[in-house]
Amino acid sequence: MNRAKGKEIGLNTIEVVGTKIDTRHYIGGQRVASAEAFTNTSPIDGSFLGDICRGTQKEADLAVAAAKAAFPAWAALGPKGRGELLLRLAELVEENIETLAQLETMDNGSLLRSHRRGVMPRVAMNIRFFAEWAMNELQHPDFETRGHTNKISWDPSGVAVLITPWNAPLMLATWKIGPALAAGDTVILKPAEWTPLSASFFADLTKQAGIPDGVFNVVQGFGKEVGAALVAHPDIARISFTGSVPTAKVIARSAADNLTPVSFELGGKSPCVVLEDADIDLAVELAVEQYDNAGQVCLSGTRILVHENIADAFALKFKEKALQIIQGDPRDEATQIGPQIHQVHFDRVKGFVDRAKESGANIIMGGEPNSDLGGLYFRPTLVMNPDADSEIVTSEVFGPVLCLQTFKTDEEAIAMANSTEFGLAAILVSGNKERAERVAKELVAGTIWVNCFFVRDLRAPFGGSKKSGIGREGGNWSFDFYADVKNTVVSPNGWKE
Ligand code: NAI
Ligand code: MG
């Protein structure tokens, strides 16, 4: 099977599922090549998709200069002027949903049907929502201080560097690009090196939409090379990063030299707490959903905490349902979970499971690569009652690996839920509203889902507590970060007319 193969059709262009993709950076409205390249493959079958330009300090400098030069005119356009162009861009995304879905699936192995129906429409929404928010919602009522008027505004801040991961490439990128551009910042996107394609195609769409040259730039390459050069640059105004905690620490050190404000979203080890009074079928359904995207979801509730009185019944039903998960080629409509993104990541996931096995953990489901499929497909795995301080319980695996632990009281459940260094999200399943409210109040996380999962609204704040992040994005919170919030205090005195 070699359906995923990309084709080199020119020096700087490859063809992937019938779409021409430029393998160069997009800087100042031009395609810019680098001396070196890196190889991009498809996780579906390991096939070669193309060689992509590998940026260095030189390209980082070029991109920052281009974004800096484009900033004054973009800022001066105002929310309406920018909004018109951004709404056109959102339309272009909508017109290209099928192309984007095919590309992204080929590049990162997530389900084609969810890219088509959920993710790419949401990409368009990320751009439209924030453009409209800047035009219509972003305002604060004036208020008086001893006759003086306080006028609050959100001013463009400069060049925003956006560093994004591979698990939902264009979705996570536009969740940052949308508000940054709407706020009047100019943008440099550095997509993950395992998923460079959708960003390059998206750059073409920004050109078609009439976004002025230099306002949006894409630099391809490795985090340690061009990513590090971008975040250390003294001429940037903002860094927004989604990825791992160790990388965030490196970025924070660079940002410190210039005191560049950062927004970090850093994954987690979220609990899925099932209280004794929970609707078990609902709890099972929500828990099994945690295997979505082959577990490569920052929000995933990977620690399933179940009241001991219902744990046996829960585990039985969970296994029954989870064993029905169809793993396979993400382009097939029937497939529910696909491969891991990359051999390096696959080995990392497998390493966690192998070490759990060696230390005697009770793995009651999966626990190994899917030998029917080979390649990067790892079976949905459930670890029963692992030690509370074992790495499988405390570290982010980012694969289809869940742990099931039991508790006796609500207090114990809360303590277990809050026991890791993370705090991105929590799922709580209960049949009693007052009880759920009481427990939810005690859970430390940026988002708590009660009897549901993944209900996301762009108006809502999103981000992590503890090591899961710094700051919140979404609605006004995005603009509080990307813009310079200003208070202009106007006196009643001194006017001549
Ligand atoms: P990573 O955090 O290293 O990579 C994310 C992005 O940061 C990529 O674009 C990468 O090129 C860039 N980057 C890396 N080093 C950099 C540096 N020094 N300066 C600037 N940019 C840099 O994540 P990686 O290695 O892909 O995955 C490792 C683990 O991170 C995963 O197994 C998972 O646990 C976690 N992760 C969490 C994500 C989330 O959604 N919060 C997303 C991806 C990974
Ligand atoms: Mg790839």
Side-chain angles (χ1 to χ4, degrees):
M1 102 169 168
N2 231 351
R3 281 196 284 162
K5 208 165 161 56
K7 214 165 66 190
E8 307 249 6
I9 58 170
L11 197 53
N12 300 307
T13 314
I14 53 173
E15 196 178 288
V16 181
V17 277
T19 301
K20 289 189 177 62
I21 303 291
D22 204 303
T23 56
R24 294 170 292 180
H25 317 285
Y26 180 71
I27 299 173
Q30 308 297 317
R31 290 292 175 171
V32 175
S34 294
E36 306 272 328
F38 64 95
T39 295
N40 181 31
T41 56
S42 175
I44 299 174
D45 59 3
S47 60
F48 173 75
L49 293 177
D51 288 324
I52 311 294
C53 279
R54 175 174 167 179
T56 60
Q57 181 74 48
K58 186 177 142 206
E59 289 79 15
D61 290 343
L62 276 176
V64 174
K68 201 177 162 187
F71 173 68
W74 183 244
L77 265 185
K80 285 233 149 48
R82 293 191 292 267
E84 276 171 30
L85 296 171
L86 292 173
L87 293 180
R88 177 69 194 126
L89 177 59
E91 277 170 18
L92 284 167
V93 168
E94 274 159 357
E95 287 165 21
N96 286 279
I97 279 177
E98 180 61 21
T99 303
L100 285 165
Q102 295 274 358
L103 267 182
E104 199 87 296
T105 290
M106 209 54 101
D107 209 6
N108 92 330
S110 299
L111 298 187
L112 180 58
R113 64 182 158 86
S114 73
H115 280 149
R116 274 180 181 146
R117 286 168 219 156
V119 177
M120 294 308 163
R122 166 70 192 278
V123 164
M125 197 58 206
N126 282 341
I127 296 158
R128 177 173 294 122
F129 171 88
F130 288 105
E132 288 177 347
W133 191 271
M135 288 191 278
N136 307 322
E137 307 291 334
L138 194 61
Q139 47 202 310
H140 192 288
D142 292 351
F143 54 90
E144 299 277 311
T145 309
R146 297 189 305 276
H148 299 63
T149 309
N150 293 265
K151 294 173 172 295
I152 290 157
S153 59
W154 284 260
D155 291 0
S157 69
V159 177
V161 166
L162 314 179
I163 310 268
T164 50
W166 40 261
N167 55 325
L170 199 56
M171 211 284 286
L172 291 172
T174 49
W175 158 251
K176 301 178 191 298
I177 295 166
L181 290 180
D185 297 355
T186 52
V187 163
I188 303 168
L189 170 67
K190 208 300 281 172
E193 49 270 42
W194 290 342
T195 52
L197 301 183
S198 56
S200 183
F201 185 77
F202 182 80
D204 292 338
L205 298 184
T206 65
K207 186 99 174 171
Q208 274 181 56
I211 306 279
D213 293 351
V215 168
F216 176 75
N217 307 275
V218 176
V219 179
Q220 304 280 12
F222 295 126
K224 286 188 175 138
E225 297 173 2
V226 73
L230 284 169
V231 297
H233 207 289
D235 290 345
I236 64 170
R238 296 289 185 273
I239 299 168
S240 180
F241 167 72
T242 300
S244 66
V245 171
T247 299
K249 290 183 183 177
V250 175
I251 294 176
R253 280 184 207 112
S254 292
D257 281 339
N258 302 306
L259 290 179
T260 311
V262 297
S263 174
F264 285 168
E265 194 268 277
L266 310 176
K269 193 73 185 179
S270 297
C272 173
V273 182
V274 183
L275 299 185
E276 192 179 6
D277 60 15
D279 172 336
I280 292 208
D281 291 326
L282 174 65
V284 165
E285 193 182 305
L286 294 171
V288 171
E289 266 183 58
Q290 307 310 310
Y291 289 125
D292 281 2
N293 210 27
Q296 301 166 123
V297 178
C298 54
L299 293 164
S300 193
T302 45
R303 292 183 298 131
I304 304 169
L305 312 178
V306 186
H307 190 279
E308 61 175 11
N309 291 350
I310 57 169
D312 289 344
F314 177 92
L316 207 71
K317 285 193 175 195
F318 177 94
K319 217 175 141 177
E320 201 177 278
K321 195 169 172 73
L323 282 172
Q324 287 169 14
I325 290 174
I326 301 170
Q327 187 167 32
D329 189 316
R331 292 164 297 186
D332 293 341
E333 192 73 13
T335 297
Q336 290 169 297
I337 77 168
Q340 300 306 116
I341 178 76
H342 192 275
Q343 188 68 49
V344 170
H345 185 62
F346 177 91
D347 293 343
R348 191 175 173 272
V349 170
K350 185 170 179 296
F352 271 109
V353 176
D354 289 348
R355 290 191 296 279
K357 275 187 200 162
E358 281 157 24
S359 64
N362 181 16
I363 295 177
I364 64 164
M365 218 186 79
E368 57 190 17
N370 187 326
S371 51
D372 300 340
L373 298 167
L376 302 180
Y377 296 81
F378 200 90
R379 285 194 199 278
T381 296
L382 184 66
V383 187
M384 241 353 225
N385 284 318
D387 291 339
D389 57 356
S390 58
E391 63 162 11
I392 202 91
V393 173
T394 58
S395 301
E396 185 175 44
V397 177
F398 226 61
V401 181
L402 307 180
C403 297
L404 199 161
Q405 296 166 276
T406 60
F407 62 85
K408 288 186 172 63
T409 63
D410 289 1
E411 285 61 41
E412 197 187 348
I414 292 163
M416 287 167 79
N418 292 340
S419 66
T420 72
E421 62 172 1
F422 297 105
L424 187 59
I427 301 161
L428 175 63
V429 195
S430 168
N432 181 292
K433 269 194 182 154
E434 286 78 44
R435 192 177 187 183
E437 206 173 302
R438 183 158 39 82
V439 173
K441 195 164 170 285
E442 300 301 322
L443 296 174
V444 181
T447 303
I448 315 284
W449 279 293
V450 182
N451 289 346
C452 61
F453 178 57
F454 226 96
V455 179
R456 296 261 331 251
D457 190 312
L458 294 174
R459 291 170 297 185
F462 180 74
S465 306
K466 299 194 276 181
K467 294 279 192 306
S468 284
I470 295 179
R472 297 289 183 272
E473 296 190 35
N476 265 13
W477 291 273
S478 291
F479 291 93
D480 286 347
F481 174 70
Y482 290 107
D484 265 332
V485 185
K486 184 159 84 185
N487 184 22
T488 306
V489 184
V490 183
S491 169
N493 306 315
W495 306 107
K496 289 198 170 161
E497 71 273 17

